[in-house]
Amino acid sequence: MAGSNPDIAEMSLVFEEMAQNTITGEVRIKYRDGRVLEARLSDGDRESVLREVAFSFTSGVIRLESLRGDRFEVDPEVDNPVPDRRPVVYLDQCHWSTLSNSIFDQERVKNEQDRDAAVQLVELAESGRIVIPVSSAHALETSALFDARRQNLASTILKLSRGWQMRSPIVVRIHEMATVLSRRFGISVTVPKLDVFSLAAGAMDTNRRVSDTSGLPPGVAALVDRISSFSAIYDVLMHPEKVPSPKPGWHEHYNNVSQDQEFQARKARQKVVDGRAMAIVDVAPEALSVAQQLGITETERVSIALFEEIESMPLMRLYGDVIGHRLAIRAKWEPNDLVDILFLGCAAAYADVVVAERAATNYLQRVWGDREAQCPVVSKLPDAVDRLSQLLA
């Protein structure tokens, strides 16, 4: 092997696969000539629920296996100039549960049409014809469960997503704002394109956590970071112990506004404008941070610019319009509404099909407005399958 510190391309000529027993720290390396080298490189993690994490130098696939026998694969991240045109289907947690039950406990899926649709979605995902990404909202809601029910749900999500993630909506809206502000203020910096649905390590995190890979060749460093990132989230989600969900107080402000007599006296159109304005106020700290990074000194004009350009920001527009609509109909705001608006709004703005619960489907469809594309949000799995049959035809 050339060089004392070879990179992935050189290693791939010699090695076929490397695997680690997460619990014991034992490593197995399989050479292309059939030889196998085994060694213990660490003390391992006795609390891990992953039995093995492996990487194939041939396919670039990361394989993970849980203690109870669940097997997962993470598709390789490929630099391909040809965009991936497969339809992206984003599932709200309740519909992930239906898919999970269709695999592990079919008796829990009472509706035969839902059961058939779930089976079809599983087949489409397993055959690679569609992408069903996981998000940090799924991770949050799955972690609130425990024991077999949690592991069944996590297993379904991780198996079918194959490493595909939806970017954090915070990251997406920051990107939207950076794009608008750089154009509006004539900044010469080109904002890189953002793949909202991605196989990148840590794509669904708001704050990217990177492994310490100093001293390693670039390809090896990227692989170490990738394996560390995916094994961490898979280990956390497959752990049977319940993690309490935080209870944000964000919703109380909107409950107060919806009961305000002065606000309710406004005309319907004005409430839409107010909703968009409130959305910009919500993200003001992020907007100012983006402006600072772009070198914009006229910070007093940043919020005005974003408000005037909100229709060119898919997620921010939906976010503001949902706020205005829900305030106008005096909907009661619950702690989880922020998660729904952010993640379902992000998915609706960028995915091909979104399957949400009924209330969210209703308000997303109502505020969709005069966009060129059809609203991608439906509330039933059979409707999602019908949409996909058209997209895949």
Side-chain angles (χ1 to χ4, degrees), residues 1 11 45 62 114 174 217 220 237 266 288 324 361 372 387:
M1 188 180 299
M11 295 174 68
D45 179 4
I62 297 172
D114 286 344
I174 286 175
V220 176
L237 283 180
R266 293 174 181 265
L288 292 176
T361 300
E372 292 184 9
R387 292 282 184 95

Side-chain angles (χ1 to χ4, degrees), residues 18-312:
M18 65 177 183
Q20 180 181 27
N21 184 311
T22 311
I23 297 172
T24 65
E26 294 172 316
V27 174
R28 182 183 72 256
I29 298 176
K30 184 177 181 181
Y31 288 79
R32 290 196 176 275
D33 62 8
R35 288 179 297 148
V36 176
L37 173 65
E38 295 182 342
R40 184 173 181 177
L41 299 184
S42 72
D43 293 333
D45 179 4
R46 299 293 174 179
E47 296 184 0
S48 176
V49 295
L50 294 180
R51 175 182 290 120
E52 184 174 88
V53 178
F55 173 72
S56 168
F57 287 92
T58 302
S59 65
V61 169
I62 297 172
R63 293 187 294 101
L64 306 98
E65 182 178 348
S66 74
L67 285 177
R68 71 172 202 164
D70 307 90
R71 290 182 173 87
F72 313 112
E73 290 189 350
V74 175
D75 289 338
E77 188 180 17
V78 180
D79 291 329
N80 192 341
V82 180
D84 193 319
R85 299 295 187 187
R86 289 178 294 172
V88 175
V89 182
Y90 185 87
L91 300 178
D92 202 357
Q93 191 79 345
C94 60
H95 297 294
W96 269 119
S97 294
T98 302
L99 262 63
S100 178
N101 288 331
S102 74
I103 296 171
F104 291 99
D105 190 0
Q106 287 196 3
E107 292 300 317
R108 294 178 65 91
V109 187
K110 303 300 183 183
N111 186 295
E112 184 177 350
Q113 291 181 320
D114 286 344
R115 185 164 58 248
D116 291 344
V119 170
Q120 291 180 66
L121 284 172
V122 169
E123 291 175 348
L124 288 171
E126 290 183 332
S127 65
R129 297 187 67 195
I130 63 173
V131 171
I132 311 184
V134 62
S135 73
S136 50
H138 297 136
L140 177 67
E141 293 173 336
T142 301
S143 297
L145 304 174
F146 60 94
D147 291 345
R149 183 184 173 197
R150 169 171 169 171
Q151 291 185 305
N152 289 346
L153 179 57
S155 176
T156 303
I157 294 173
L158 298 176
K159 183 178 182 181
L160 298 184
S161 62
R162 297 186 61 86
W164 282 94
Q165 307 144 79
M166 184 173 78
R167 295 273 184 187
S168 162
I170 309 301
V171 172
V172 175
R173 72 187 187 191
I174 286 175
H175 183 268
E176 289 183 350
M177 289 189 287
T179 302
V180 164
L181 292 176
S182 62
R183 181 180 69 243
R184 183 71 176 251
F185 287 86
I187 305 300
S188 59
V189 176
T190 301
V191 179
K193 185 178 179 181
L194 183 72
D195 49 344
V196 176
F197 304 100
S198 176
L199 282 164
M204 69 183 190
D205 297 334
T206 299
N207 298 310
R208 180 76 176 93
R209 293 166 291 180
V210 182
S211 306
D212 182 10
T213 55
S214 56
L216 295 176
V220 176
L223 176 60
V224 169
D225 180 39
R226 190 167 179 76
I227 291 176
S228 298
S229 176
F230 282 106
S231 60
I233 187 61
Y234 280 48
D235 204 347
V236 168
L237 283 180
M238 284 302 297
H239 202 286
E241 184 176 342
K242 179 177 181 178
V243 179
S245 299
K247 299 294 182 182
W250 170 90
H251 66 294
E252 292 297 352
H253 166 68
Y254 289 104
N255 277 328
N256 294 333
V257 173
S258 67
Q259 300 304 316
D260 183 81
Q261 293 183 356
E262 183 178 344
F263 174 82
Q264 288 300 334
R266 293 174 181 265
K267 294 182 179 179
R269 179 58 192 165
Q270 183 58 49
K271 291 175 182 176
V272 173
V273 174
D274 290 342
R276 293 183 174 187
M278 290 178 190
I280 299 302
V281 171
D282 270 356
V283 301
E286 294 169 18
L288 292 176
S289 177
V290 170
Q292 184 179 34
Q293 293 175 30
L294 291 173
I296 297 171
T297 57
E298 303 166 88
T299 54
E300 69 279 359
R301 292 177 51 205
V302 167
S303 292
I304 295 173
L306 291 175
F307 178 78
E308 291 177 349
E309 298 275 359
I310 197 169
E311 294 215 6
S312 67

